[in-house]
Every structure is written in structure tokens, then in C-alpha cells.
């Protein structure tokens, strides 16, 4: 296939609308006749009450709602008695979509209307990319929206229907993890990370350990070690250069933590890997 044919196919997943909503006052939305397209809604913070087919459900952070065309629903956002004052009662991402691919995806299994979705940065990132593309001046790139929307739906399947992945990870923890992975090769401190994600050092330490069962320092070291393994397999850099480029800056320290982790020296690892 030539490069000129890559954009020739017609999109089969259509983005009709997407946005980010914050409610700091009570809000009610009722659609008695149902929508003429699919509606996806991801609760990021706060809570809301949704009623569909005569049944009500309380949704909180990490809850994903999926509605097909024609299904009536009501969304109600109100403060509970005893709620502490908060900046926003509810924060969510939403999108409207349609298309033959979405129909096939919806019908390939019995779809729940309410899923407990792990709030992985991947999912939120895809959703926000769709919002950005939809809001871009001029006509959105239909092919890009097609692929992003398909990827988002498949992410729902990966994290929403696999019980082993059902425990939601706080978005703050995912932001910390993603920042570590992007900057692991740099001089990185807890203070740097805390500043980047807008939290205190103590909060970063607590959130990360609670979400992933290991400390920030342990995770950073593991990421750097994995980077070093990749470079030993796939580059011609000497071991001292690899240690430096992966954030260790001291070969003796790199040697010590590598041997402690893998039970062999970096040189032995490279010999076995080549």
C-alpha cells in the first residue's frame, strides 16, 4: 500500500461532541425520549445521580456511564446533606458519538450502563485528545477522531470489564507515574515531581504508595533500570554512558543496584542479551 492511500478510507466512528463539565451549583438534565446517538460520561470528581430505565445509581470518581441511542435518562447533581464545602459538586468528561464501528463494538457483548473504570492516564488522555480535536477551529480531523474514539472504546473494554483491573487508580497517582516515566533520565527529586503535579511532597508520597504499593523512589529506580536494560540490548553505548543517560550518574551506584535487582552484573547481562 502506498503512503497516498493511507487516508482514503471513510471513518466508521464519528465524534459528534465532546467536553469537560464542572458543576458548582445544582444541575438537572432530563432526556425523556433518549438521544439520537451514544453518550459516554466519565465521573472525575464529586458525585451525581443518574436514573435510566426506572433505576437510579450514584456515580463517583472512576464511574463510567454508557448510554445507547434512544435510551431515556436523567442526570441530577445536588449536594448531599453533611457534604463539606467543595469547589465543584461534580466534574466529568463526556462525549457523543455514532457510526457503524461503534454499533459493532456496542453489540459484541452485553453492555453495562455503569462501569467501574480504572482512571488510567491513557483513558483520560485519549478523551482529552478527542475534546481538543473537536474544539479545534475549523472542521475536526475525522480520521484522527475515528482512531482516537476506537482506541477509547477498546480502553473501556480493557479496564472496565476485566475484574483484575477494576480498582480505580486516582488520576493524581497516574499523573505522578507518567511524569516519572517521562523524566526518569533527568535529575529528578520528590520536590520536582510535587511541583510538576501541583501537590505537596507528603501528598505525592502517600498517594503513590497507596495506589501502586511501592515508593516513588523504588518506582523511579525500576524505570531507570529498565531503560538501562533496553540500552544494553539495543545500543552500542558503553556501560558508563548507559548509567549516565539513564539517570544514575555514578557507575558504581548503577552496578550495585543492578546486581541487587537482577543478580548479575551489567556486563554479564549485556553478554547474555547479545
Amino acid at each position: 500500500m502506498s503512503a497516498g492511500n493511507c487516508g482514503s478510507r471513510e471513518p466508521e466512528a464519528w465524534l459528534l461532541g465532546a467536553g469537560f463539565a464542572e458543576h458548582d451549583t445544582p444541575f438537572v438534565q432530563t432526556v425523556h425520549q433518549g438521544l439520537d446517538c451514544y453518550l459516554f460520561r466519565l465521573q472525575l470528581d464529586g458525585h451525581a445521580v443518574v436514573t435510566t430505565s426506572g433505576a437510579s445509581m450514584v456515580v463517583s470518581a472512576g464511574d463510567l456511564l454508557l448510554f445507547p441511542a434512544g435510551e431515556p435518562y436523567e442526570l441530577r447533581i445536588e449536594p448531599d446533606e453533611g457534604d463539606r464545602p467543595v469547589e465543584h459538586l461534580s466534574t466529568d468528561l463526556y462525549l457523543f458519538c455514532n457510526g457503524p464501528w461503534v454499533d459493532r463494538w456496542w453489540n459484541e457483548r452485553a453492555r453495562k450502563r455503569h462501569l467501574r473504570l480504572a482512571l488510567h492516564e491513557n483513558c483520560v488522555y485519549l478523551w482529552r485528545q478527542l475534546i481538543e480535536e473537536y474544539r479545534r477551529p475549523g472542521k475536526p480531523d475525522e480520521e484522527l477522531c475515528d482512531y482516537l474514539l476506537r482506541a477509547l472504546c477498546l480502553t473501556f473494554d480493557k479496564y472496565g470489564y476485566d475484574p483484575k483491573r477494576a480498582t480505580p487508580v486516582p488520576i493524581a497517582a497516574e499523573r505522578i507515574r507518567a511524569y516519572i516515566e517521562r523524566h526518569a533520565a533527568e535529575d529528578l527529586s520528590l520536590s520536582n515531581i510535587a511541583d510538576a503535579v501541583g501537590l505537596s511532597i507528603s501528598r505525592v508520597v502517600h498517594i503513590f504508595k497507596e495506589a501502586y504499593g511501592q515508593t516513588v523512589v523504588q518506582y523511579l529506580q525500576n524505570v531507570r533500570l529498565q531503560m538501562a536494560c533496553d540500552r544494553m540490548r539495543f545500543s552500542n553505548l558503553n556501560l558508563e554512558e548507559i548509567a549516565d543517560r539513564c539517570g544514575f550518574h555514578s557507575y558504581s551506584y548503577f552496578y550495585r543496584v543492578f546486581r541487587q535487582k537482577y543478580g548479575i552484573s551489567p556486563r554479564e547481562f549485556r553478554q547474555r542479551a547479545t
Side-chain angles (χ1 to χ4, degrees):
M1 178 183 292
S2 67
N5 292 330
C6 291
S8 60
R9 68 167 190 83
E10 288 295 323
E12 294 191 18
W14 311 327
L15 180 67
L16 305 178
F20 174 85
E22 292 179 331
H23 299 280
D24 51 15
T25 58
F27 173 82
V28 177
Q29 180 184 36
T30 304
V31 183
H32 293 294
Q33 303 302 318
L35 297 166
D36 57 0
C37 62
Y38 295 91
L39 166 62
F40 303 155
R41 183 181 183 278
L42 178 61
Q43 190 78 22
L44 296 180
D45 200 8
H47 55 263
V49 177
V50 174
T51 302
T52 181
S53 302
S56 295
M57 63 190 90
V58 177
V59 295
S60 55
D63 285 346
L64 173 69
L65 301 176
L66 305 171
F67 296 106
E71 186 162 303
Y73 78 96
E74 178 187 80
L75 171 67
R76 185 175 295 273
I77 299 171
E78 294 177 340
D80 285 344
E81 291 184 12
D83 266 1
R84 291 178 299 175
V86 293
E87 184 178 358
H88 303 295
L89 297 176
S90 173
T91 306
D92 67 85
L93 300 174
Y94 65 86
L95 67 82
F96 302 96
C97 63
N98 232 334
W101 186 91
V102 184
D103 290 334
R104 293 194 298 272
W105 170 80
W106 182 272
N107 292 319
E108 71 182 9
R109 70 164 79 204
R111 292 285 169 191
K112 299 176 182 177
R113 301 298 184 268
H114 181 196
L115 292 176
R116 190 69 177 157
L117 184 71
L119 284 177
H120 284 261
E121 187 76 11
N122 307 5
C123 175
V124 177
Y125 175 78
L126 287 168
W127 207 308
R128 286 180 170 154
Q129 286 292 103
L130 282 163
I131 293 172
E132 181 180 337
E133 188 60 34
Y134 180 74
R135 291 180 173 176
R136 190 185 303 279
K139 187 178 180 182
D141 186 322
E142 293 180 349
E143 185 174 17
L144 176 59
C145 289
D146 180 7
Y147 283 114
L148 288 171
L149 183 52
R150 293 188 194 207
L152 184 63
C153 290
L154 296 176
T155 301
F156 294 163
D157 286 346
K158 180 176 182 180
Y159 295 115
Y161 286 91
D162 184 348
K164 295 179 181 177
R165 301 176 182 266
T167 302
V169 174
I171 290 179
E174 277 294 297
R175 289 174 60 205
I176 295 166
R177 182 195 58 76
Y179 186 83
I180 291 170
E181 293 193 356
R182 287 196 300 270
H183 300 277
E186 303 169 13
D187 288 327
L188 200 56
S189 68
L190 284 171
S191 179
N192 299 145
I193 298 168
D195 289 344
V197 300
L199 297 170
S200 67
I201 292 176
S202 61
R203 190 69 179 144
V204 165
V205 170
H206 174 75
I207 287 174
F208 196 88
K209 181 66 180 294
E210 188 173 66
Y212 298 111
Q214 58 184 301
T215 68
V216 170
V217 173
Q218 287 170 332
Y219 186 75
L220 173 59
Q221 182 170 288
N222 287 335
V223 172
R224 286 173 169 172
L225 286 171
Q226 189 57 59
M227 291 169 58
C229 289
D230 290 342
R231 281 165 173 75
M232 283 188 280
R233 288 189 185 101
F234 305 118
S235 81
N236 293 321
L237 296 171
N238 65 47
L239 296 176
E240 288 76 11
E241 288 175 315
I242 289 173
D244 184 65
R245 294 194 184 192
C246 293
F248 291 100
H249 304 309
S250 162
Y251 181 74
S252 60
Y253 175 63
F254 169 59
Y255 178 94
R256 185 168 68 254
V257 296
F258 190 95
R259 192 174 187 90
Q260 183 179 13
K261 171 82 172 177
Y262 298 108
I264 57 175
S265 70
R267 192 171 304 281
E268 289 174 296
F269 179 91
R270 171 168 257 179
Q271 289 170 347
R272 295 183 187 184
T274 56

